[in-house]
């Protein structure tokens, strides 16, 4: 999954996926490309321990990393982590199976609303300490469900693969 980040002064293309090297250099699961300098780089400090499926950058420069990863930059982050420009951190208790069976715990997409609420989607049953069937929101302090979620409780075949937040804050 590729994302251009225009919230920073220099555009950077973050590349997440199932790889351990990028252009011959060890960059497990995530790297970045600087189109003006024509160079590749790594995330600041540390590595990611598993597949990265989505990244997003909010208006303050905070980077969110989602996927199968349980550790980013040496910090545990059950499916979702953040980089604030100086340190990696978690989003509350992350996402958990929450009664789903047969699902791979992960975050496939991250969308950020104009009010900076972060939306997460894919295979999880709880986010933080509450039920959030396949879709959740993070307000910077805690998780909350998005309506009734997607699918039925305990159904691992339901998932939110892609999210889009419109300029009015509507989720698609």
């Amino acid at each position: 999954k590729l994302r251009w980040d225009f919230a920073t002064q220099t555009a950077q293309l973050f590349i997440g996926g199932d790889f351990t090297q990028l252009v011959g250099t060890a960059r497990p699961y995530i790297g970045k490309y600087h189109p003006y300098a024509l160079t590749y780089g790594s995330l600041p400090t540390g590595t990611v321990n598993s597949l990265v499926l989505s990244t997003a950058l909010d208006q303050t420069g905070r980077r969110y990393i989602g996927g199968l990863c349980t550790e980013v930059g040496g910090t545990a982050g059950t499916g979702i982590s953040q980089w604030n420009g100086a340190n990696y951190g978690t989003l509350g208790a992350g996402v958990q199976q929450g009664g789903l069976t047969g699902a791979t715990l992960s975050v496939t997409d991250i969308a950020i609303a104009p009010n900076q609420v972060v939306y997460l989607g894919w295979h999880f049953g709880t986010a933080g300490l509450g039920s959030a069937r396949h879709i959740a929101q993070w307000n910077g302090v805690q998780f909350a469900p998005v309506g009734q979620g997607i699918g039925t409780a305990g159904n691992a075949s339901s998932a939110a693969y892609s999210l889009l937040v419109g300029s009015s804050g509507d989720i698609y």
Side-chain angles (χ1 to χ4, degrees), residues 39-53:
T39 59
Y40 288 87
S42 300
L43 286 183
T45 339
T47 60
V48 177
N49 74 340
S50 190
L51 184 66
V52 171
L53 299 170

Side-chain angles (χ1 to χ4, degrees), residues 7 57-62 112-114 116:
L57 188 71
D58 72 13
Q59 293 174 1
T60 68
R62 186 175 305 266
I112 301 174
Q116 297 301 293

